Amino acid sequence: MTSKTPELIELLDGYHRFREHGWEPERERWAQLKEGQQPRVMVIACSDSRVDPAQIFDVSPGEIFVVRNVAALVPPFETTPGHHGVSSALEFAVQFLKVKEVLVMGHGMCGGCNAALTQAMRGADFGEGGFVADWISLLDEARDRVAEKFGTDTREAGRAMELEAVKVSLANLRTFPYVREKEDQGALKLRGAFFAISDGVLHVLDEETGEFSPASVSYTHLRAHETDSYLVC
């Protein structure tokens, strides 16, 4: 039998807590989910271990369809052959699950955004790979705008890069024909958000102004203008 590492033991301890406190109290919910899923929201978030969307939004199993990757990036639509992980998940969520909203959530102290800003990984020799550097090159144009205004070595620049990354992903989402069509029809809403690790505050993007506001402010605005909002704040 393979010996258990401390890391695996911790995971198994968590699993047993889940069975006691997560599975048993939600047995009825799990029984429903075995028949299929019907999430109304897709969340595209960073792989960073500190920003779990299910934890931040305090949702039950089956409520959100989550994709996580370095810097919460969405690549632009393309038809070239390949293994398009984010694009295939987006297609599945929008076309098959028919989610009502897609939320891109960036976060503070993002390593991917910092690497894009400082270009620390460009030309670095990681042996067989270079995948991260290629991936965050999606932010090159935004990086140049941020660097010109804020430089590259301040927290202000880092925060600006993190916010710009959310806007880049939203713009790229709209390059997908079916996303653009459903948004135009009012069948799909695109949202941008930012979670600050330093104080635990979620900020929501107002695309008309380009500004991010604390979720408490955005929540009040949404409640006042929408009778059925799918965004959990």
Side-chain angles (χ1 to χ4, degrees):
M1 180 177 179
T2 303
S3 60
K4 294 186 176 73
T5 62
E7 292 78 15
L8 177 58
I9 291 174
E10 289 179 7
L11 290 177
L12 293 177
D13 286 343
Y15 162 71
H16 290 299
R17 291 192 299 272
F18 160 73
R19 285 288 298 182
E20 181 178 355
H21 303 294
W23 172 262
E24 289 297 336
E26 295 273 8
R27 286 296 296 272
E28 184 176 345
R29 175 68 173 168
W30 288 107
Q32 295 171 349
L33 290 174
K34 73 178 183 180
E35 305 299 330
Q37 59 172 325
Q38 293 181 313
R40 297 188 296 178
V41 179
M42 176 184 190
V43 178
I44 300 171
C46 185
S47 300
D48 194 298
S49 61
R50 300 167 291 182
V51 286
D52 179 1
Q55 181 179 39
I56 293 170
F57 293 114
D58 190 26
V59 293
S60 297
E63 288 191 29
I64 58 175
F65 185 80
V66 180
V67 170
R68 301 178 69 177
N69 62 57
V70 174
L73 294 177
V74 176
F77 175 76
E78 59 180 328
T79 57
T80 55
H83 300 97
H84 304 293
V86 177
S87 301
S88 62
L90 177 67
E91 180 181 76
F92 184 72
V94 174
Q95 298 287 68
F96 294 90
L97 296 178
K98 300 188 184 305
V99 297
K100 303 297 184 181
E101 294 201 9
V102 177
L103 171 68
V104 177
M105 187 181 74
H107 71 92
M109 311 305 294
C110 178
C113 287
N114 182 66
L117 179 63
T118 62
Q119 298 188 330
M121 292 188 176
R122 179 160 295 181
D125 183 8
F126 294 106
E128 297 295 329
F131 300 113
V132 175
D134 185 57
W135 179 248
I136 60 176
S137 69
L138 288 166
L139 295 174
D140 281 353
E141 290 186 15
R143 180 263 177 198
D144 291 343
R145 293 194 298 271
V146 170
E148 182 177 359
K149 186 174 182 179
F150 299 103
T152 61
D153 59 356
T154 65
R155 181 81 282 269
E156 185 179 23
R159 173 59 63 88
M161 186 74 257
E162 290 155 1
L163 299 180
E164 281 297 310
V166 174
K167 296 177 182 179
V168 167
S169 286
L170 286 172
N172 286 345
L173 278 171
R174 293 186 172 104
T175 65
F176 288 78
Y178 56 86
V179 170
R180 189 169 60 249
E181 179 181 359
K182 287 180 178 291
E183 185 181 33
D184 290 343
Q185 294 172 347
L188 181 69
K189 294 178 182 177
L190 304 184
R191 308 272 192 189
F194 173 86
F195 180 76
I197 289 178
S198 58
D199 56 16
V201 175
L202 181 75
H203 298 75
V204 179
L205 173 64
D206 181 337
E207 288 200 86
E208 291 185 5
T209 65
E211 299 297 322
F212 287 79
S213 300
S216 56
V217 176
S218 302
Y219 181 77
T220 301
H221 175 78
L222 285 169
R223 283 301 186 192
H225 293 83
E226 299 181 22
T227 57
D228 187 16
S229 172
Y230 297 99
L231 176 63
V232 181
C233 292

